[in-house]
Amino acid sequence: MTAPVSVTAPRSPSPEVARFAADLGGTWLRVRKWKGSTVEHTAAPSLLNFPGTPVRELQDRLVEVLATAAPLGADAVISCGAALDHTSGILYGSGPLWGATDEPYDLVGALRGARPDVTWTLVNDLTAGLADFVSRRAGSGTRRAAYLTVSSGIALRTADLRDRTIPVDENGLQGEVGHLPTGVTFDGGDPLVCDCGVAGHVAAYSSGPGIERRARRAGVQPEVTHWLPAALEANDPLAQRILGTAIAPIAGLLRTAWCLDPHLDLVGVGGGVVAGIGAPYRTELLTQLGVATGYADRGFSREWLESRLVFCAAGDVDCLRGAELMRDGFLTAAM
């Protein structure tokens, strides 16, 4: 089985088919209406942006926005910030988009119903990000590569570049690590609750909303996104503890990934949290990865890490570009 999932519908007879692309995250919806046009930014119709709105209403808004934006007869690809079955296109859920709901949603079917003249292709945003990262950073000798995004959500996806595939399980999933349990309660007390509604997930501590909840619990009053970078620059002890707590589960994920897959030659780390915090995030993650935790993990040298770990600034990885690469078959998902 391969991905991305595409639903074929009648095309416009025009010899020039418009190539429409959109990237949906928990915060922003980015749209490029045709190849080469300016990217338009609007607030995503998400629970993160519109708290208290019924999930069905948010999904209907999303379909309306995309269906309205797509040109007549377009070849449309959507990069979507939700866990999805790469073999069927069914969305399983997204904390930032729809909160705790886990009811499967057929976004492609809804879009086809609204705009049957458009060919709709759906890929996960991390899959799109991985494709763009690989196209720009992987060398000819890279065996396996991964991209980890730390933003309003967290996930890590891996591709085997020897056969250009992204392995997925029987549910069409791979790498939804943000919804794994940390197994640790930081600072005592009750574990923090993830946007999906479950306590103790990696995203509950390490995502943007998770870091904000952790800071609020510690008594931070100013807007965390503005306070944290300035406080880190000033070597504020509370800010450093909050950052260390947020990065510990991420360091654990990377240790586990390299333990299970010694052929993982390249890992990109990006997303809004990584880009927003910048150098302090890089320093803390490299420091934690350098600490030995036992005979199976003797710590990674700085030289070893710098040959394999790439920190991606804002704009280094573009899910719109990646979605278009997936539409063109640059990588495929395979069970």
Side-chain angles (χ1 to χ4, degrees):
M1 297 185 182
T2 60
V5 174
S6 180
V7 177
T8 303
R11 294 179 181 270
S12 163
S14 169
E16 292 294 330
V17 175
R19 289 172 66 80
F20 174 88
D23 173 36
L24 172 66
T27 306
W28 296 105
L29 173 63
R30 300 189 304 141
V31 170
R32 182 160 52 219
K33 292 189 176 180
W34 54 84
K35 189 175 182 179
S37 68
T38 301
V39 177
E40 301 174 7
H41 293 69
T42 58
S46 66
L47 203 60
L48 194 64
N49 286 335
F50 302 96
T53 304
V55 171
R56 180 56 64 186
E57 182 179 333
L58 293 171
Q59 292 170 341
D60 289 344
R61 286 186 195 177
L62 174 62
V63 171
E64 181 181 2
V65 169
L66 293 173
T68 300
L72 181 66
D75 186 355
V77 60
I78 313 299
S79 163
C80 185
L84 65 87
D85 184 335
H86 280 79
T87 65
S88 71
I90 299 296
L91 300 180
Y92 290 123
S94 166
L97 288 175
W98 303 313
T101 184
D102 59 359
E103 181 180 353
Y105 179 55
D106 185 2
L107 176 58
V108 170
L111 288 167
R112 185 185 187 189
R115 286 291 306 276
D117 62 297
V118 174
T119 299
W120 297 100
T121 301
L122 180 65
V123 299
N124 172 267
D125 63 343
L126 182 61
T127 302
L130 172 61
D132 188 54
F133 174 71
V134 165
S135 74
R136 293 169 176 271
R137 301 305 296 261
S140 58
T142 304
R143 293 169 294 183
R144 291 171 68 87
Y147 180 64
L148 167 66
T149 182
V150 185
S151 190
S152 56
I154 296 173
L156 185 153
R157 187 132 303 134
T158 303
D160 192 324
L161 302 188
R162 292 164 293 195
D163 60 5
R164 317 298 294 188
T165 61
I166 299 173
V168 297
D169 65 15
E170 64 275 12
N171 296 311
L173 293 172
Q174 188 229 108
E176 298 299 330
V177 295
H179 299 286
L180 293 176
T182 62
V184 176
T185 300
F186 296 98
D187 299 331
D190 295 331
L192 295 174
V193 178
C194 181
D195 282 336
C196 74
V198 178
H201 280 178
V202 169
Y205 293 91
S206 303
S207 69
I211 293 172
E212 183 165 344
R213 283 189 291 268
R214 165 70 176 81
R216 297 295 181 211
R217 177 178 285 189
V220 174
Q221 297 304 318
E223 186 179 350
V224 174
T225 54
H226 292 148
W227 170 82
L228 185 58
L232 288 168
E233 187 174 354
N235 294 317
D236 181 285
L238 175 59
Q240 292 174 330
R241 286 199 304 273
I242 290 172
L243 181 63
T245 298
I247 287 179
I250 302 301
L253 291 174
L254 290 173
R255 285 192 193 95
T256 302
W258 277 314
C259 178
L260 293 174
D261 189 356
H263 291 178
L264 183 56
D265 295 324
L266 180 67
V267 178
V269 181
V273 170
V274 177
I277 296 175
Y281 196 100
R282 179 182 189 277
T283 299
E284 179 66 20
L285 180 55
L286 291 174
T287 298
Q288 291 196 24
L289 288 171
V291 175
T293 63
Y295 75 86
D297 170 27
R298 302 175 187 272
F300 302 100
S301 71
R302 189 61 61 94
E303 181 181 14
W304 191 93
L305 288 169
E306 289 182 349
S307 71
R308 289 165 173 79
L309 197 59
V310 177
F311 288 85
C312 302
D316 285 351
V317 173
D318 188 339
C319 291
L320 283 177
R321 288 194 305 250
E324 291 171 338
L325 286 167
M326 291 298 296
R327 174 173 54 190
D328 295 339
F330 178 72
L331 298 172
T332 59
M335 289 179 60

